[in-house]
Amino acid sequence: MEFIDLKAQYQVGRDNINARIQAVLDHGQYIMGPEVEELEARLAAFTGARHCITVASGTEALLISLMALGIGPGDDVITTPFSFIATAEAIVLLGATPVFVDIDPATCNIDPTLIEARITERTRAIMPVSLYGQPADMEAINAIAWRHKLTVIEDAAQSFGATYGGKRSCNLSAIGCTSFFPSKPLGCYGDGGAIFTSDDQLASAMREIRVHGQSRRYVHTRIGVGGRMDTLQCAIVLAKLDYFEWELSERARAAASYDALLSGKIGMVARPRDRSSVFAQYTVVVEQREQVRAALQAAGIPTAVHYPVPMHMQPAYARWSDARSAPVANAMAARVLSLPMGPYLDDASIARICAVLLGAAGAAPASCPKD
Ligand SMILES: *Cc1c(COP(=O)(O)O)cnc(C)c1O
């Protein structure tokens, strides 16, 4: 069993993907070829944002977004401690200070009720993460940002395709950033990412920063980076977009199958009704995680932990935080366990995973209520 089955995914799109790759090899425009603009137009339309700027990775998307806002030394950026390290990394790389606001234990996303107390005159932006594929509480976060004139950057690296209040993730705030890392819900076959915004000025700044701050050839009006997504990777995402909606429905099917077998029997990440997840991960909450993990491993079932050490507890980030600053994140980091997930995970496999999981977690067998 695979944790995420990328080979099955390739087989479904194989002819289309191969043809798209061949087309790039034939025209030879490997950097900023026609597929780059084609993909940007398709993705912008998909999310509803006015602009899409493809970039080299999800990390680069976060970095370029912060650069476009002019964030640097002396600036604070509020974020969650419970994410992949790239979120905080982009902030500190620019010399800004990450301010880690604890998470809601139900959803594992940043707790909006704790944000305002951490805003100071140094605060410039809020960077929530839509963890496990489920949007953070963006309406509450946007309202806080509006009151304090801050910019909200959604780290939507795991949530491309998810919705919140009927709108797509990546178009829920001033800026949205996603990743096309192969195992993300919409992945390429290498590194890639994209930034979304409906602000024309920010978009043109981001486009310049992506190519070394160049406004015209060899005229550098800003400090930029080498941050382009290459044409081949864009071509692959274009091919995969053709069956992405179907994949999303299969992800929802797999999650519903898990739900049916697990709800009420094991701790789960809450999923409020006003949003939908794309299940980048299907994550449960268990005590004695390492024993449960070992039992699954012994049954040939791969699992993962997202994330075992919150960012504020990482050695390199110690100076920006202390161990007491996010107790909920610390508690969840010891308990979360991600199960195999993806559009190609069949219901028989899910049934087997759940049987082993419930056995190992010591859950009571399914009861037959008499009422
Ligand atoms: C994957 C991920 C990133 C980084 O994306 P890359 O494309 O690997 O650089 C950033 N933030 C989160 C939450 C992620 O899951």
Side-chain angles (χ1 to χ4, degrees):
M1 191 183 295
E2 307 257 353
F3 185 67
I4 294 174
D5 195 346
L6 295 178
K7 287 179 220 136
Q9 185 186 52
Y10 170 63
Q11 288 310 324
V12 168
R14 183 188 180 104
D15 292 347
N16 217 350
I17 293 167
N18 289 0
R20 278 284 191 174
I21 290 173
Q22 189 61 54
V24 177
L25 295 173
D26 288 338
H27 70 54
Q29 295 176 58
Y30 298 114
I31 299 295
M32 300 308 278
E35 285 82 359
V36 178
E37 246 183 77
E38 184 184 352
L39 178 63
E40 290 176 346
R42 287 271 299 275
L43 294 176
F46 182 90
T47 61
R50 186 140 31 141
H51 303 281
C52 168
I53 301 101
T54 55
V55 292
S57 67
T59 308
E60 209 73 18
L62 297 170
L63 188 70
I64 293 172
S65 297
L66 293 167
M67 289 174 80
L69 294 170
I71 286 173
D75 296 332
D76 282 3
V77 178
I78 289 176
T79 190
T80 168
F82 203 44
S83 179
F84 179 60
I85 199 67
T87 311
E89 190 176 59
I91 299 167
V92 303
L93 273 174
L94 293 173
T97 302
V99 174
F100 297 109
V101 167
D102 210 354
I103 57 170
D104 175 344
T107 62
C108 290
N109 277 325
I110 192 169
D111 184 345
T113 67
L114 303 177
I115 291 177
E116 228 153 1
R118 305 293 296 278
I119 293 175
T120 69
E121 67 285 351
R122 291 185 308 277
T123 311
R124 295 282 314 280
I126 308 174
M127 198 192 277
V129 174
S130 295
L131 197 71
Y132 305 146
Q134 171 170 259
D137 194 353
M138 297 300 286
E139 195 178 311
I141 295 165
N142 282 330
I144 295 164
W146 187 83
R147 282 201 291 279
H148 296 272
K149 299 188 167 59
L150 307 174
T151 305
V152 178
I153 304 167
E154 183 197 10
D155 180 345
Q158 301 179 9
S159 61
F160 190 82
T163 62
Y164 177 102
K167 285 174 80 179
R168 292 280 188 189
S169 178
C170 291
N171 185 31
L172 303 176
S173 57
I175 300 171
C177 295
T178 200
S179 163
F180 304 123
F181 187 84
S183 59
K184 307 281 170 151
L186 180 60
C188 59
Y189 292 156
D191 277 307
I195 311 172
F196 297 83
T197 183
S198 292
D199 182 312
D200 297 345
Q201 273 177 313
L202 275 179
S204 78
M206 289 160 175
R207 288 186 193 286
E208 288 178 13
I209 293 166
R210 169 176 71 174
V211 267
H212 307 287
Q214 199 171 253
S215 51
R216 297 198 317 276
R217 195 165 171 81
Y218 301 130
V219 177
H220 302 273
T221 43
R222 306 169 181 277
I223 308 225
V225 292
R228 293 164 301 222
M229 181 167 166
D230 69 68
T231 314
L232 274 169
Q233 297 303 335
C234 289
I236 290 162
V237 176
L238 276 167
K240 292 180 71 179
L241 259 182
D242 289 343
Y243 57 116
F244 182 59
E245 297 264 19
W246 173 81
E247 285 197 338
L248 289 183
S249 66
E250 285 300 304
R251 285 178 174 278
R253 184 264 317 152
S257 299
Y258 269 128
D259 289 350
L261 294 169
L262 297 179
S263 53
K265 296 177 191 156
I266 205 154
M268 304 226 261
V269 175
R271 303 204 298 268
R273 286 175 191 279
D274 59 354
R275 62 203 83 167
S276 71
S277 178
V278 289
F279 300 98
Q281 310 298 340
Y282 188 95
T283 302
V284 295
V285 182
V286 290
E287 306 294 328
Q288 315 290 326
R289 179 183 61 210
E290 295 317 311
Q291 281 101 300
V292 172
R293 229 189 148 182
L296 287 159
Q297 168 96 44
I301 297 165
T303 58
V305 173
H306 305 98
Y307 294 88
V309 181
M311 298 188 298
H312 72 294
M313 298 295 285
Q314 293 290 351
Y317 291 76
R319 82 188 90 153
W320 290 290
S321 166
D322 69 77
R324 290 156 301 158
S325 62
V328 178
N330 292 342
M332 297 312 288
R335 290 170 176 79
V336 290
L337 183 65
S338 300
L339 305 176
M341 187 55 191
Y344 305 94
L345 184 67
D346 60 60
D347 287 346
S349 300
I350 292 170
R352 191 162 80 80
I353 295 163
C354 292
V356 177
L357 171 66
L358 292 174
S367 60
C368 303
K370 297 213 164 58
D371 48 325

PDB file of all heavy atoms in Angstrom, residues 57-59 62 83-84 86-87 129 155 157-158 179 181 184 192 307, ligand 1:
ATOM      1  N   SER A  57       8.217  27.048  -6.648  1.00  0.00           N
ATOM      2  CA  SER A  57       7.767  26.126  -5.596  1.00  0.00           C
ATOM      3  C   SER A  57       6.781  26.854  -4.696  1.00  0.00           C
ATOM      4  O   SER A  57       6.610  28.081  -4.799  1.00  0.00           O
ATOM      5  CB  SER A  57       8.957  25.651  -4.752  1.00  0.00           C
ATOM      6  OG  SER A  57       9.491  26.730  -4.005  1.00  0.00           O
ATOM      7  N   GLY A  58       6.200  26.110  -3.770  1.00  0.00           N
ATOM      8  CA  GLY A  58       5.327  26.738  -2.774  1.00  0.00           C
ATOM      9  C   GLY A  58       6.125  27.667  -1.861  1.00  0.00           C
ATOM     10  O   GLY A  58       5.652  28.742  -1.473  1.00  0.00           O
ATOM     11  N   THR A  59       7.321  27.256  -1.523  1.00  0.00           N
ATOM     12  CA  THR A  59       8.188  28.085  -0.683  1.00  0.00           C
ATOM     13  C   THR A  59       8.476  29.413  -1.366  1.00  0.00           C
ATOM     14  O   THR A  59       8.397  30.491  -0.759  1.00  0.00           O
ATOM     15  CB  THR A  59       9.517  27.341  -0.413  1.00  0.00           C
ATOM     16  OG1 THR A  59       9.218  26.036   0.081  1.00  0.00           O
ATOM     17  CG2 THR A  59      10.379  28.085   0.590  1.00  0.00           C
ATOM     18  N   LEU A  62       5.566  31.849  -1.227  1.00  0.00           N
ATOM     19  CA  LEU A  62       5.473  32.579   0.040  1.00  0.00           C
ATOM     20  C   LEU A  62       6.517  33.691   0.083  1.00  0.00           C
ATOM     21  O   LEU A  62       6.224  34.834   0.465  1.00  0.00           O
ATOM     22  CB  LEU A  62       5.686  31.616   1.219  1.00  0.00           C
ATOM     23  CG  LEU A  62       4.641  30.499   1.367  1.00  0.00           C
ATOM     24  CD1 LEU A  62       5.100  29.485   2.412  1.00  0.00           C
ATOM     25  CD2 LEU A  62       3.281  31.075   1.743  1.00  0.00           C
ATOM     26  N   SER A  83       2.763  23.820  11.014  1.00  0.00           N
ATOM     27  CA  SER A  83       2.822  23.771   9.554  1.00  0.00           C
ATOM     28  C   SER A  83       4.154  23.177   9.149  1.00  0.00           C
ATOM     29  O   SER A  83       5.040  22.954   9.974  1.00  0.00           O
ATOM     30  CB  SER A  83       2.697  25.193   8.983  1.00  0.00           C
ATOM     31  OG  SER A  83       2.770  25.194   7.568  1.00  0.00           O
ATOM     32  N   PHE A  84       4.291  22.965   7.828  1.00  0.00           N
ATOM     33  CA  PHE A  84       5.597  22.627   7.280  1.00  0.00           C
ATOM     34  C   PHE A  84       6.502  23.850   7.432  1.00  0.00           C
ATOM     35  O   PHE A  84       6.037  24.985   7.326  1.00  0.00           O
ATOM     36  CB  PHE A  84       5.443  22.227   5.803  1.00  0.00           C
ATOM     37  CG  PHE A  84       6.736  21.874   5.148  1.00  0.00           C
ATOM     38  CD1 PHE A  84       7.513  20.828   5.628  1.00  0.00           C
ATOM     39  CD2 PHE A  84       7.193  22.592   4.057  1.00  0.00           C
ATOM     40  CE1 PHE A  84       8.718  20.507   5.024  1.00  0.00           C
ATOM     41  CE2 PHE A  84       8.394  22.271   3.447  1.00  0.00           C
ATOM     42  CZ  PHE A  84       9.155  21.232   3.936  1.00  0.00           C
ATOM     43  N   ALA A  86       8.439  25.561   5.746  1.00  0.00           N
ATOM     44  CA  ALA A  86       8.541  26.593   4.704  1.00  0.00           C
ATOM     45  C   ALA A  86       7.775  27.861   5.067  1.00  0.00           C
ATOM     46  O   ALA A  86       8.169  28.963   4.675  1.00  0.00           O
ATOM     47  CB  ALA A  86       8.017  26.047   3.370  1.00  0.00           C
ATOM     48  N   THR A  87       6.680  27.712   5.812  1.00  0.00           N
ATOM     49  CA  THR A  87       5.859  28.871   6.158  1.00  0.00           C
ATOM     50  C   THR A  87       6.679  29.887   6.956  1.00  0.00           C
ATOM     51  O   THR A  87       6.739  31.072   6.602  1.00  0.00           O
ATOM     52  CB  THR A  87       4.635  28.414   6.987  1.00  0.00           C
ATOM     53  OG1 THR A  87       4.002  27.317   6.322  1.00  0.00           O
ATOM     54  CG2 THR A  87       3.638  29.541   7.156  1.00  0.00           C
ATOM     55  N   VAL A 129      -2.310  29.065   7.540  1.00  0.00           N
ATOM     56  CA  VAL A 129      -2.078  27.888   6.697  1.00  0.00           C
ATOM     57  C   VAL A 129      -3.377  27.090   6.654  1.00  0.00           C
ATOM     58  O   VAL A 129      -4.029  26.905   7.691  1.00  0.00           O
ATOM     59  CB  VAL A 129      -0.944  27.021   7.276  1.00  0.00           C
ATOM     60  CG1 VAL A 129      -0.783  25.723   6.488  1.00  0.00           C
ATOM     61  CG2 VAL A 129       0.365  27.796   7.296  1.00  0.00           C
ATOM     62  N   ASP A 155      -1.409  30.481   3.132  1.00  0.00           N
ATOM     63  CA  ASP A 155      -0.523  29.397   2.696  1.00  0.00           C
ATOM     64  C   ASP A 155      -1.436  28.232   2.354  1.00  0.00           C
ATOM     65  O   ASP A 155      -1.853  27.456   3.221  1.00  0.00           O
ATOM     66  CB  ASP A 155       0.492  29.035   3.774  1.00  0.00           C
ATOM     67  CG  ASP A 155       1.422  27.896   3.333  1.00  0.00           C
ATOM     68  OD1 ASP A 155       1.096  27.218   2.346  1.00  0.00           O
ATOM     69  OD2 ASP A 155       2.457  27.680   3.995  1.00  0.00           O
ATOM     70  N   ALA A 157      -0.743  25.748   0.317  1.00  0.00           N
ATOM     71  CA  ALA A 157       0.078  24.705  -0.322  1.00  0.00           C
ATOM     72  C   ALA A 157      -0.616  23.349  -0.284  1.00  0.00           C
ATOM     73  O   ALA A 157      -0.382  22.506  -1.150  1.00  0.00           O
ATOM     74  CB  ALA A 157       1.442  24.621   0.351  1.00  0.00           C
ATOM     75  N   GLN A 158      -1.481  23.141   0.732  1.00  0.00           N
ATOM     76  CA  GLN A 158      -2.149  21.837   0.854  1.00  0.00           C
ATOM     77  C   GLN A 158      -3.616  21.897   0.424  1.00  0.00           C
ATOM     78  O   GLN A 158      -4.294  20.871   0.452  1.00  0.00           O
ATOM     79  CB  GLN A 158      -2.069  21.365   2.322  1.00  0.00           C
ATOM     80  CG  GLN A 158      -0.627  21.232   2.799  1.00  0.00           C
ATOM     81  CD  GLN A 158      -0.515  20.793   4.254  1.00  0.00           C
ATOM     82  OE1 GLN A 158      -1.496  20.427   4.893  1.00  0.00           O
ATOM     83  NE2 GLN A 158       0.702  20.832   4.782  1.00  0.00           N
ATOM     84  N   SER A 179       1.322  25.098  -3.788  1.00  0.00           N
ATOM     85  CA  SER A 179       2.484  24.302  -4.181  1.00  0.00           C
ATOM     86  C   SER A 179       2.029  23.184  -5.109  1.00  0.00           C
ATOM     87  O   SER A 179       0.956  22.612  -4.916  1.00  0.00           O
ATOM     88  CB  SER A 179       3.121  23.683  -2.934  1.00  0.00           C
ATOM     89  OG  SER A 179       3.989  22.607  -3.273  1.00  0.00           O
ATOM     90  N   PHE A 181       4.171  20.568  -5.517  1.00  0.00           N
ATOM     91  CA  PHE A 181       5.001  19.433  -5.099  1.00  0.00           C
ATOM     92  C   PHE A 181       4.222  18.153  -5.432  1.00  0.00           C
ATOM     93  O   PHE A 181       3.003  18.125  -5.281  1.00  0.00           O
ATOM     94  CB  PHE A 181       5.252  19.572  -3.582  1.00  0.00           C
ATOM     95  CG  PHE A 181       6.218  18.578  -3.017  1.00  0.00           C
ATOM     96  CD1 PHE A 181       7.593  18.799  -3.079  1.00  0.00           C
ATOM     97  CD2 PHE A 181       5.762  17.416  -2.401  1.00  0.00           C
ATOM     98  CE1 PHE A 181       8.479  17.872  -2.541  1.00  0.00           C
ATOM     99  CE2 PHE A 181       6.654  16.490  -1.867  1.00  0.00           C
ATOM    100  CZ  PHE A 181       8.015  16.720  -1.935  1.00  0.00           C
ATOM    101  N   LYS A 184       1.175  16.931  -3.381  1.00  0.00           N
ATOM    102  CA  LYS A 184       0.085  17.845  -3.018  1.00  0.00           C
ATOM    103  C   LYS A 184      -1.152  17.490  -3.855  1.00  0.00           C
ATOM    104  O   LYS A 184      -1.034  16.805  -4.876  1.00  0.00           O
ATOM    105  CB  LYS A 184       0.495  19.299  -3.272  1.00  0.00           C
ATOM    106  CG  LYS A 184       1.806  19.698  -2.622  1.00  0.00           C
ATOM    107  CD  LYS A 184       1.674  20.010  -1.135  1.00  0.00           C
ATOM    108  CE  LYS A 184       3.054  20.161  -0.545  1.00  0.00           C
ATOM    109  NZ  LYS A 184       3.212  21.025   0.572  1.00  0.00           N
ATOM    110  N   GLY A 192       7.109  23.118  -8.167  1.00  0.00           N
ATOM    111  CA  GLY A 192       6.330  24.180  -8.794  1.00  0.00           C
ATOM    112  C   GLY A 192       5.406  24.790  -7.763  1.00  0.00           C
ATOM    113  O   GLY A 192       5.187  24.213  -6.692  1.00  0.00           O
ATOM    114  N   TYR A 307       2.604  17.632  12.054  1.00  0.00           N
ATOM    115  CA  TYR A 307       4.044  17.538  12.026  1.00  0.00           C
ATOM    116  C   TYR A 307       4.510  17.162  13.410  1.00  0.00           C
ATOM    117  O   TYR A 307       3.900  17.599  14.391  1.00  0.00           O
ATOM    118  CB  TYR A 307       4.627  18.891  11.589  1.00  0.00           C
ATOM    119  CG  TYR A 307       4.236  19.172  10.148  1.00  0.00           C
ATOM    120  CD1 TYR A 307       3.036  19.822   9.847  1.00  0.00           C
ATOM    121  CD2 TYR A 307       5.017  18.697   9.099  1.00  0.00           C
ATOM    122  CE1 TYR A 307       2.653  20.029   8.530  1.00  0.00           C
ATOM    123  CE2 TYR A 307       4.632  18.913   7.776  1.00  0.00           C
ATOM    124  CZ  TYR A 307       3.446  19.563   7.502  1.00  0.00           C
ATOM    125  OH  TYR A 307       3.051  19.740   6.202  1.00  0.00           O
TER     126      TYR A 307
HETATM  127  C1  LIG B   1       4.436  21.839   0.904  1.00  0.00           C
HETATM  128  C2  LIG B   1       4.241  23.051   1.701  1.00  0.00           C
HETATM  129  C3  LIG B   1       4.969  24.233   1.472  1.00  0.00           C
HETATM  130  C4  LIG B   1       6.130  24.298   0.530  1.00  0.00           C
HETATM  131  O1  LIG B   1       5.864  23.938  -0.781  1.00  0.00           O
HETATM  132  P1  LIG B   1       7.083  23.492  -1.718  1.00  0.00           P
HETATM  133  O2  LIG B   1       6.485  23.469  -3.060  1.00  0.00           O
HETATM  134  O3  LIG B   1       7.530  22.153  -1.249  1.00  0.00           O
HETATM  135  O4  LIG B   1       8.151  24.510  -1.579  1.00  0.00           O
HETATM  136  C5  LIG B   1       4.650  25.356   2.201  1.00  0.00           C
HETATM  137  N1  LIG B   1       3.678  25.338   3.126  1.00  0.00           N
HETATM  138  C6  LIG B   1       2.969  24.229   3.390  1.00  0.00           C
HETATM  139  C7  LIG B   1       1.874  24.285   4.406  1.00  0.00           C
HETATM  140  C8  LIG B   1       3.231  23.044   2.700  1.00  0.00           C
HETATM  141  O5  LIG B   1       2.527  21.939   2.979  1.00  0.00           O
END
